[in-house]
Amino acid sequence: MRRWRTTALACSGALVVILVPGTVPAAADVTVFSDRNNDARPTVDIEKVRVDNGRRVVVTTTFDNLRKSFAGGLGVYFDTRGPDRGPEYVAAGGINAQGTDWQIAQIENWRHGQSQLLYRCDIDMRVSFKKDKATFDIARRCLQRPGRIRVAAHSTGQRASQRDWAPKRHRFYDWVRR
């Protein structure tokens, strides 16, 4: 009986240490932003953008009724510096059921014409038609290990009328700190 009490006390003491504020390592800031619903055609209409500025930078875009028959693309723009105008990076990839390529590039002020592909960057893109989501998962070093980031998302379809910006064209959501 005495051994059981000692074990129980030791276990409850460990539990207290775990629950004491300040003993848990700081977690990354994860923020979910909502976009205006029904401001674009279904499939390209962005509903939410989730930004996880943690060990890796993970941006998940949720669409309205993403279909396997859709053939379009997604670009996520990253601002890491703030004082200068526009993004410093863009992650881009296609969205279709047959598979696609994706990439990340350095850009200047929303212009792709002067972009520089980052070939040695650890980036992945996942698309889930079942969950209506596309996710970019990027190593922090690709973005020069930013302390804070803000993003904008842009989806496009095959026709000029099939496009959506979240939150708005050439505008960012609020900063997400690490």
Side-chain angles (χ1 to χ4, degrees):
M1 179 104 169
R2 183 172 291 204
R3 183 179 294 174
W4 182 83
R5 274 192 225 149
T6 306
T7 305
L9 288 173
C11 289
S12 64
L15 184 60
V16 169
V17 170
I18 291 171
L19 297 178
V20 172
T23 60
V24 178
D29 197 355
V30 177
T31 307
V32 178
F33 300 101
S34 293
D35 187 43
R36 299 178 315 266
N37 289 332
N38 301 318
D39 64 340
R41 291 181 175 215
T43 305
V44 296
D45 188 19
I46 298 171
E47 292 184 333
K48 288 189 287 189
V49 177
R50 181 183 186 272
V51 180
D52 181 347
N53 189 10
R55 206 177 88 236
R56 295 179 63 85
V57 176
V58 181
V59 179
T60 302
T61 306
T62 304
F63 294 88
D64 175 14
N65 195 20
L66 193 57
R67 297 185 201 127
K68 286 186 176 182
S69 61
F70 176 67
L74 174 66
V76 175
Y77 296 84
F78 297 89
D79 184 13
T80 59
R81 293 194 299 243
D84 65 339
R85 268 181 78 83
E88 288 79 40
Y89 304 95
V90 61
I95 300 175
N96 63 59
Q98 290 77 32
T100 186
D101 289 333
W102 56 88
Q103 61 198 5
I104 189 163
Q106 265 186 308
I107 62 172
E108 188 63 41
N109 195 17
W110 305 101
R111 291 188 294 266
H112 290 265
Q114 300 172 358
S115 66
Q116 178 183 350
L117 286 177
L118 303 177
Y119 292 109
R120 296 178 188 228
C121 186
D122 181 11
I123 178 174
D124 189 24
M125 181 182 185
R126 297 179 300 275
V127 177
S128 172
F129 292 98
K130 188 182 266 186
K131 295 181 180 179
D132 299 323
K133 294 181 185 215
T135 302
F136 282 109
D137 185 339
I138 306 165
R140 294 188 64 71
R141 66 177 165 70
C142 297
L143 306 175
Q144 302 297 313
R145 294 180 175 82
R148 62 184 188 155
I149 58 173
R150 57 185 183 162
V151 303
H154 180 227
S155 64
T156 57
Q158 291 178 327
R159 296 186 198 107
S161 63
Q162 294 177 313
R163 63 183 63 240
D164 190 20
W165 280 91
K168 287 181 164 182
R169 184 176 189 273
H170 294 181
R171 298 286 185 264
F172 292 104
Y173 285 111
D174 287 334
W175 291 101
V176 179
R177 297 195 180 281
R178 175 150 162 65

